[in-house]
Amino acid sequence: MEEIIRLTKDLIRFKSMHSKPDEIRACAEFIEHMLSVWGISYTRLDRGSFPSILALPETRYAPVLLMSHIDVVDAPDDLFLPLEQEGKLYGRGSIDDKYAVALSLVLLKEHFQRHRKQGRNQEALSFGVLITGDEELGGHQGAREALKTMKTDFCIALDGGHLRKIVQKEKGIVRLRLISRGKSAHGARPWLGENAIEKLIEDYLKMKSHFQETRPEHWNRTLNFSIVHAGKSANQVPDYAEALFDIRYTENDDMDEVVRKIRAEIQGELAVEAKEPLFWGVDSPYLKLLLEVAAGTEVGFEHGASDARFLMEHGTAGIVWGADGDLSQHSSEEHVNIQSVYALYGILDEFLKRVEEKRV
Amino acid sequence: MEEIIRLTKDLIRFKSMHSKPDEIRACAEFIEHMLSVWGISYTRLDRGSFPSILALPETRYAPVLLMSHIDVVDAPDDLFLPLEQEGKLYGRGSIDDKYAVALSLVLLKEHFQRHRKQGRNQEALSFGVLITGDEELGGHQGAREALKTMKTDFCIALDGGHLRKIVQKEKGIVRLRLISRGKSAHGARPWLGENAIEKLIEDYLKMKSHFQETRPEHWNRTLNFSIVHAGKSANQVPDYAEALFDIRYTENDDMDEVVRKIRAEIQGELAVEAKEPLFWGVDSPYLKLLLEVAAGTEVGFEHGASDARFLMEHGTAGIVWGADGDLSQHSSEEHVNIQSVYALYGILDEFLKRVEEKRV
């Protein structure tokens, strides 16, 4: 199983950030090369310059699908040098999501080789692997499109949760842009103008009243004041202010209604910049089987959003799950706990063998 | 007197903005050339690339000093084409402050030529003229330095008020920079971070409580929220926010004390970026004489600040006064009412003759 960690290190060395699209493609080609050497058939999909790799037992179907991604968020050069220390593997992408790519590939190779030894071919596999290149940008060209080309009964997005927590629901996202307009005037005579920043703050305080105070243990919608820009000159009353907000909502929230109510209360213009559905897993006998194998693991929720939300469009059952990374993704201390990778591998290996034996 | 308007138009054609320092210098040279042609002695001072022109009856003294400036705030090209319409002269600098430059120069020429006809030289003048090139940047290289090189009993800054209102006090300026620091986190888990924008808003609301609501008729300190910038990415809790505030204060305000109190209440760092003294005119028999000549004109205050504040450093008496511009300075509709320029000229002409006759 150490092969998984070695391979994860190889993958971390690719600076596969969206600021370096060539590195994302080079990383995809590296994986393609491996699959070819192993003799595994796969499909490469390219949409909008983002590569996806799909290896399935049949052309368009897999009972179980393991999903992961090679793209990572920006980081300085030194984070692309993998570093193993005290049972942890540090580096950009270590937990998000290159260990998962490596784990899926090694699982695929091991199962494939076992079948071949026993005279069976790729069709005997109980699972397929999907590796995408745009999860950090929203997954619209990767997971969303790839899922349209195939069918699966149960998708495991290896991109969240942790060894003891399978995620069956994730919040949705709404991005709002608030524009406040005022009237310019000389800074010495503020009463002759209308200060757009003041108006924006008033509007924000009204928006905020539609959100409860957030605590670590909760399941309600949250509001983050992400960006604000206003004003040109120190001695002028600003006539324009602009802000961006990031909302995460749950299945209990009617966001259209919330936005409508906010709009009715504020003075500024509120535009919905983006809306992403929440992920709300469908019940599945596969999950029941997985929980039997993964003793001590529970089902829960997560505040973030992942590519799993695209499963909703097809009514496909699925979960988000993964190794332990102590919530370090996107940080400069990003790491994955190596033992948890091995444990996860063992559970998935056993689970996929039982699927093969039609124990579902 | 139409010469004043003709000359004002000539001056408006110079795009003497600080983004075009060459135009400020060309405008100064145009004035120097005129003074030379008229036979009037003057001194040109250059400090930090800003030209000032000083024409005095004696080398370092004038009973009265008329002060104005040739620099203007930024404007598009078409505002530098003077336009006369319905008794108003439109264009950048028309009221702020090129009509005043033209008026001072024509007054100087007329008095000088009258003296010469009567066999007297420049020393017989009852007044001098100071024209500077950095008022819009604060006047530190122009008026402040030029005033150090000479003495006057009464300075008239032709750069504010209006025909019926002589300004004897102007507010001071304090510019404050507020920096709020928080803790970054993923936008889906705002409770793991501290939002710097939220902290800045909290601090601002505390700052604001130190200021009364501003109304047109008042004489108290005001606060303008001029500029704010914060946040890098939509899905991140911002860890840094920065804002700039413009405060105008009166002689009743101890600004050091106000800043100290605010600092004690807020979480962020509050830096004093700039502090400009207020202008608080010293009583003077010249003002008494001027009010006798200018029947119907009253003494009042103004919310803005001008180069007159440098008089405070020498205990020199002075006022801020000018033609009627309907508060259009710095706007795209900037204009001066032509009749008010003629009326102002008439009053100053008479006043300066009476000063000459030692009626003060």
Side-chain angles (χ1 to χ4, degrees), chain A residues 61-295:
Chain A
Y61 171 73
V64 173
L65 181 72
L66 302 181
M67 196 158 75
S68 57
H69 64 92
I70 52 173
D71 58 318
V72 298
V73 293
D74 276 354
D77 281 355
D78 58 329
L79 260 74
F80 293 96
L81 297 172
L83 178 70
E84 203 177 323
Q85 210 163 39
E86 293 173 6
K88 294 170 183 172
L89 175 61
Y90 288 84
R92 174 59 79 237
S94 52
I95 183 69
D96 185 16
D97 192 32
K98 285 174 170 173
Y99 88 89
V101 174
L103 186 152
S104 309
L105 288 169
V106 172
L107 260 177
L108 186 66
K109 185 196 69 171
E110 294 293 329
H111 279 240
F112 177 75
Q113 290 181 346
R114 178 170 51 81
H115 287 301
R116 205 152 58 171
K117 267 184 206 158
Q118 295 166 3
R120 293 189 296 271
N121 62 17
Q122 191 161 337
E123 278 175 36
L125 284 170
S126 62
F127 69 102
V129 168
L130 171 60
I131 296 167
T132 67
D134 73 336
E135 197 275 345
E136 297 295 352
L137 294 184
H140 291 265
Q141 308 296 327
R144 188 182 203 179
E145 291 301 319
L147 287 169
K148 283 181 189 167
T149 70
M150 63 160 296
K151 234 187 96 47
T152 182
D153 298 324
F154 189 64
C155 178
I156 301 176
L158 288 169
D159 193 17
H162 55 79
L163 198 58
R164 299 282 161 239
K165 182 178 150 193
I166 284 172
V167 176
Q168 217 195 358
K169 56 183 184 177
E170 289 183 327
K171 287 183 184 172
I173 307 175
V174 170
R175 296 249 160 83
L176 297 178
R177 187 176 300 276
L178 174 61
I179 290 174
S180 297
R181 293 180 201 278
K183 196 182 139 207
S184 187
H186 195 285
R189 300 179 199 89
W191 59 91
L192 293 181
E194 289 172 34
N195 192 310
I197 301 176
E198 295 259 7
K199 289 174 122 182
L200 191 133
I201 291 175
E202 283 168 27
D203 283 356
Y204 168 62
L205 296 175
K206 282 175 189 156
M207 274 180 75
K208 205 179 160 182
S209 71
H210 290 268
F211 295 81
Q212 296 172 256
E213 204 168 325
T214 52
R215 282 174 305 275
E217 288 312 312
H218 74 285
W219 186 249
N220 51 245
R221 62 178 179 266
T222 61
L223 174 68
N224 180 44
F225 197 147
S226 309
I227 297 176
V228 61
H229 290 296
K232 285 183 208 151
S233 149
N235 67 357
Q236 224 173 13
V237 176
D239 62 356
Y240 185 88
E242 196 175 314
L244 199 68
F245 300 92
D246 189 4
I247 293 169
R248 305 299 171 125
Y249 66 94
T250 76
E251 72 281 7
N252 306 315
D253 300 314
D254 177 347
M255 283 312 298
D256 292 341
E257 177 68 8
V258 172
V259 169
R260 202 190 56 70
K261 277 187 185 165
I262 293 173
R263 277 190 181 134
E265 288 175 16
I266 63 172
Q267 313 164 72
E269 298 159 29
L270 192 66
V272 177
E273 286 279 297
K275 185 172 178 182
E276 296 291 350
L278 45 82
F279 164 57
W280 180 241
V282 179
D283 266 338
S284 162
Y286 286 90
L287 178 56
K288 200 167 154 278
L289 176 64
L290 180 59
L291 288 170
E292 278 169 32
V293 179

Side-chain angles (χ1 to χ4, degrees), chain A residues 175 186 188 191 195 197-198 204 208 216 218 224-231 234-238 244 246 248 303, chain B residues 175 186 188 191 195 197-198 204 208 216 218 224-231 234-236 238 244 246 248 303:
Chain A
R175 296 249 160 83
H186 195 285
W191 59 91
N195 192 310
I197 301 176
E198 295 259 7
Y204 168 62
K208 205 179 160 182
H218 74 285
N224 180 44
F225 197 147
S226 309
I227 297 176
V228 61
H229 290 296
N235 67 357
Q236 224 173 13
V237 176
L244 199 68
D246 189 4
R248 305 299 171 125
H303 303 281
Chain B
R175 296 248 161 84
H186 194 285
W191 60 90
N195 193 310
I197 301 176
E198 295 259 6
Y204 168 61
K208 204 178 161 182
H218 76 283
N224 181 43
F225 196 148
S226 308
I227 296 175
V228 62
H229 289 296
N235 68 356
Q236 224 173 14
L244 199 69
D246 188 2
R248 305 299 171 125
H303 303 281

Side-chain angles (χ1 to χ4, degrees), chain B residues 232-250:
Chain B
K232 284 182 207 152
S233 151
N235 68 356
Q236 224 173 14
V237 177
D239 62 355
Y240 185 87
E242 196 175 315
L244 199 69
F245 300 92
D246 188 2
I247 292 169
R248 305 299 171 125
Y249 67 94
T250 77

